[in-house]
């Protein structure tokens, strides 16, 4: 007897079924323990799966489903469409001719001649296509003889595949695999092409090896027309107790220099347990020009001292200690040679901090054995205990005196000792008094409520004069005069000099704090130092000859959502002239729109202008650029210009860059990169260049709709 129903029907076979099946249609027809036919807007559902069609036939005994006419299968976010299909609900084995599909992980879509479902996690398609472009847009598409989707590993595997861009094949491979989400996986990355003035035309084909969840490697052969093949290797690891990165690059028989070129670097950090930790930071290159010849970024080519450092440290809460061995490889520019830093072989430090009552006790001490091939060698011991006792420490004001004794002892070797004594000692008492107040008031700005502060501060330091002309200078420099330095005890960084002082620093700081969330909108600071005697210990000539220092002025903050300002100014009142001025301004109304402008000036030393931008020209085109010029030397430091074209599923970048590598040399590079969203990038790595050279640069093809630059049609 036939049964006709115009409603939902729940099918339960005689044997207990773990997941019930629900069937809905305009018309249902079936018999007990027999097949069921659903006609007209037919729909079958069970947990984790749904099937639609003009006609569905379901057999409860075998749990087979057959559909005809506009069949649609949804399973775990994936959508399969076709004229007909067969599927078993228990095994998920099935077939669909001429299907189209959409993958839920990245909304990739495509078509195929046939689709075979092996189970819930594995599909195989013949003569298939794949793209992340929206429906109606096939700007790029991958064609494959066979496509296998492994949702268990979230990987797609393709054979006999080629990528087509704007109807033109651009890349072919007999086999490839690619991730269906953002996970890491082994395989070839998109090749990079480029050209530089020092290497000529070049191509790099990286291979990424996902060794383990906490370990990977990238092997990148880089073929350069003028030089040969540079094999670049990067190995990374991350465990609960340690992490690190190893780089090893090698170019045999450089065609220009006729030498073997290489680079090695290791960065390792490890917790050894029981408060102990260790680290290694070691870098070395085969020659002075290696980074200038092969680095693709200005940050790499500008390095001159490569650190070679190893340390073991111990921390016990209130005290800590570290043992370090440190040296450098100095890369010289023949036109502008620089001094070689001292080696520390070794350096042993001991620091401690403890509160007893209201007193803050502090100890800084170290032992260093300084080695140098041409300068005086020696050992230095520093012992600096101090105690601070807050007399007043309230929310509105504070007064804190501090006293300490800086003791230093030298034992100098005979090598390169230019008349200095074999041993020398220095003991200098140091006294300081720090005080300040904080006043607040409510105010309004642009209709919003703010808290404005007024914070006067006075800082007094007394250090008696000690003649230090017979002491070596191992690692000490005179700190530039700025706000950080005027509130410190010593005007030197390092322990070879302790500056004499009988001086007071007066400063006024004002902040504008947003009332609703406490965000500091802007800060203004003004300060000057007044000395009761002329300092006699100096490494560089002072800018003033009287007892009044230069005046410091600083303004930093974000006065509006779009504008960011950071400016400092040093004025010499005795000579009525500017000594130092640094100012930077950023306008960024939204991601993808940024304008940067900065000016740096130091009298007789530095005068630079730096401009950079990322700005939309139309709805699809963005312009990027940077111009960094030294007015002091009349020399270009870096110039960059380029455009980006963004489509719904791909981005094309054109960038040209020129930057200085030495006083007399510059390098020019050209970058063309095609990024197919969700698949790969092909061409030169313009993205890394833009992120380095344009502060605030945003990758527009990763923005959500509400983040993308607005107002352009």
């Amino acid at each position: 007897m036939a049964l006709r129903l115009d409603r939902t029907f729940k099918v339960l076979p005689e044997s207990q079924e773990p997941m019930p099946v629900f069937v809905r249609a305009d018309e249902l027809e079936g018999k007990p323990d027999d097949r069921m036919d659903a006609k007209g807007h037919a729909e079958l559902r069970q947990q984790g799966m749904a099937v639609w069609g003009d006609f569905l036939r379901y057999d409860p005994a075998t749990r087979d489903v057959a559909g005809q006419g506009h069949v649609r299968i949804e399973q775990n976010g994936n959508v399969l469409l076709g004229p007909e299909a067969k599927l078993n609900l228990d095994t998920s084995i099935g077939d669909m001719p001429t299907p189209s599909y959409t993958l839920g992980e990245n909304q990739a879509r495509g078509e195929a001649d046939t689709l075979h479902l092996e189970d819930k996690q594995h599909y195989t398609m013949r003569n298939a296509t794949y793209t992340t472009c929206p429906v109606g847009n096939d700007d790029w598409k991958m064609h494959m003889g066979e496509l296998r989707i492994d949702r268990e590993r979230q990987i797609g595997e393709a054979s006999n595949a080629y990528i087509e861009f704007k109807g033109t094949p651009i890349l072919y491979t007999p086999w490839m695999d690619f991730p269906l989400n953002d996970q890491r996986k082994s395989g070839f990355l998109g090749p990079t092409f480029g050209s530089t003035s020092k290497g000529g035309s070049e191509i790099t084909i990286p291979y990424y090896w996902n060794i383990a969840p906490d370990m990977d490697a990238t092997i990148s052969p880089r073929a350069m027309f003028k030089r040969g093949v540079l094999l670049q290797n990067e190995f990374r690891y991350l465990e609960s107790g340690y992490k690190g990165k190893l780089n090893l690059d090698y170019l045999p028989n450089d065609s220009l220099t006729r030498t073997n070129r290489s680079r090695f670097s290791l960065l390792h950090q490890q917790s050894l347990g029981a408060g102990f930790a260790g680290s290694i930071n070691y870098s070395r290159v085969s020659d002075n020009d290696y980074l200038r010849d092969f680095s693709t970024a200005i940050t790499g080519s500008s390095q001159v001292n490569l650190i070679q450092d190893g340390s073991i440290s111990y921390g016990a809460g209130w005290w800590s200690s570290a043992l370090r061995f440190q040296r450098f490889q100095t890369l010289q520019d023949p036109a502008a040679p620089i001094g070689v830093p001292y080696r520390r072989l070794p350096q042993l430090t001991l620091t401690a901090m403890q509160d007893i009552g209201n007193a803050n006790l502090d100890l800084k001490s170290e032992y260093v054995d300084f080695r140098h091939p041409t300068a005086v060698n020696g050992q230095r011991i520093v012992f600096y205990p101090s105690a601070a006792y807050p007399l007043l420490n309230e929310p509105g004001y504070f007064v804190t005196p501090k006293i300490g004794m800086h003791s230093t002892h030298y034992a100098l070797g005979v090598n390169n000792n230019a008349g200095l004594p074999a041993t020398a000692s220095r003991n200098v008492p140091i006294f300081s008094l720090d005080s300040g107040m904080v006043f607040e008031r409510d105010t309004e700005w642009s209709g919003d409520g703010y808290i404005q502060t007024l914070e006067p501060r006075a800082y007094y330091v007394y250090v008696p004069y000690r003649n230090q002309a017979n002491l070596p200078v191992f690692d000490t420099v005179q700190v530039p005069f700025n706000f950080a330095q005027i509130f410190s005890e010593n005007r030197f960084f390092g322990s070879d000099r302790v500056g004499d002082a009988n001086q007071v620093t007066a400063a006024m700081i004002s902040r504008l704090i947003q009332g609703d969330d406490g965000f500091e909108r802007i800060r203004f600071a003004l300060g000057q130092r007044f000395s009761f005697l002329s300092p006699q210990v100096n490494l560089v000539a002072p800018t003033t000859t009287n007892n009044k220092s230069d005046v410091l002025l600083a303004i930093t903050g974000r006065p509006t959502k779009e504008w960011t300002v950071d400016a400092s100014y040093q004025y010499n009142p005795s000579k009525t002239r500017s000594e130092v001025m640094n100012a930077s301004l950023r306008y960024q109304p939204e991601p993808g729109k940024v304008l940067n402008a900065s000016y740096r000036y130091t009298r007789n030393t530095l005068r630079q202008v730096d401009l950079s931008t990322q700005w939309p020209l139309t709805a699809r085109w963005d312009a990027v650029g940077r111009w960094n010029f030294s007015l002091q030397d009349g020399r270009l430091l870096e110039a960059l210009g380029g455009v980006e074209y963004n489509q719904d599923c791909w981005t094309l970048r054109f960038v040209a860059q020129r930057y200085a590598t030495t006083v007399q040399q510059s390098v020019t590079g050209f970058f063309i990169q095609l990024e197919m969203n969700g698949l790969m990038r092909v061409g030169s790595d313009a993205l890394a260049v833009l992120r380095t050279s344009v502060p605030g640069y945003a990758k527009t093809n990763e923005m959500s709709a509400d983040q993308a630059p607005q107002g352009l049609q």
Side-chain angles (χ1 to χ4, degrees), residues 71-240:
V71 177
R72 176 187 179 99
I73 301 175
E74 290 190 9
Q75 187 178 43
N76 299 325
N78 297 330
V79 179
L80 307 174
L81 301 174
E84 59 182 273
K86 294 181 180 180
L87 178 70
N88 183 271
L89 297 182
D90 288 335
T91 64
S92 293
I93 296 176
D95 292 282
M96 178 181 286
T98 62
S100 61
Y101 67 90
T102 301
L103 301 181
E105 290 81 5
N106 56 3
Q107 291 302 299
R109 63 179 181 85
E111 300 86 26
D113 286 351
T114 61
L115 166 67
H116 176 64
L117 289 83
E118 301 173 20
D119 53 42
K120 292 182 179 180
Q121 305 290 345
H122 301 87
Y123 311 151
T124 300
M125 287 174 267
R126 305 287 182 182
N127 295 325
T129 64
Y130 177 93
T131 184
T132 59
C133 294
V135 176
N137 180 346
D138 289 335
D139 285 352
W140 74 263
K141 183 183 291 187
M142 183 163 59
H143 297 262
M144 298 150 286
E146 181 178 277
L147 172 62
R148 178 177 170 82
I149 301 296
D150 186 341
R151 296 188 65 257
E152 185 176 7
R153 296 186 299 150
Q154 295 294 340
I155 289 175
E157 296 180 2
S159 61
N160 193 25
Y162 69 93
I163 298 174
E164 182 181 86
F165 179 70
K166 290 290 187 178
T168 302
I170 60 172
L171 190 66
Y172 170 81
T173 178
W175 178 88
M176 70 176 296
D177 60 357
F178 51 92
L180 301 177
N181 53 18
D182 294 332
Q183 70 171 346
R184 302 180 301 136
K185 67 167 300 298
S186 299
F188 285 99
L189 306 178
T192 62
F193 310 91
S195 177
T196 65
S197 56
K198 291 196 172 185
S201 300
E202 61 180 61
I203 180 174
T204 304
I205 304 178
Y207 180 81
Y208 178 78
W209 182 14
N210 185 28
I211 304 172
D214 50 10
M215 190 180 303
D216 63 17
T218 304
I219 304 167
S220 307
R222 178 182 173 187
M224 294 171 284
F225 178 77
K226 292 183 179 181
R227 296 186 177 274
V229 178
L230 173 64
L231 187 61
Q232 303 173 126
N233 303 280
E234 179 185 78
F235 173 66
R236 301 185 302 176
Y237 51 94
L238 174 64
E239 288 286 352
S240 59

Side-chain angles (χ1 to χ4, degrees), residues 2 12 38 40 135 162 215 294 357 375 410 430 442 459 467 528 535 583 591 598 614 662-663 693:
L12 289 172
V135 176
Y162 69 93
M215 190 180 303
F294 300 121
Y410 292 89
I430 299 176
D442 295 329
Y459 181 72
N467 187 351
Q528 188 176 16
S598 65
Q614 176 191 17
T662 66
V663 173
S693 296

Side-chain angles (χ1 to χ4, degrees), residues 649-672:
C649 57
W650 59 272
T651 298
L652 189 62
R653 303 181 179 95
F654 301 87
V655 178
Q657 182 189 36
R658 182 175 178 82
Y659 58 89
T661 55
T662 66
V663 173
Q664 298 179 342
Q665 297 181 13
S666 297
V667 64
T668 302
F670 298 94
F671 305 86
I672 302 176

Side-chain angles (χ1 to χ4, degrees), residues 21 81 134 141 258 328-329 441 457 479 542 565 582 680:
V21 175
L81 301 174
K141 183 183 291 187
R258 301 300 178 184
F328 298 88
Q329 181 187 10
R441 70 164 187 168
R457 183 179 178 186
V479 180
V565 61
N582 297 302
M680 66 172 60

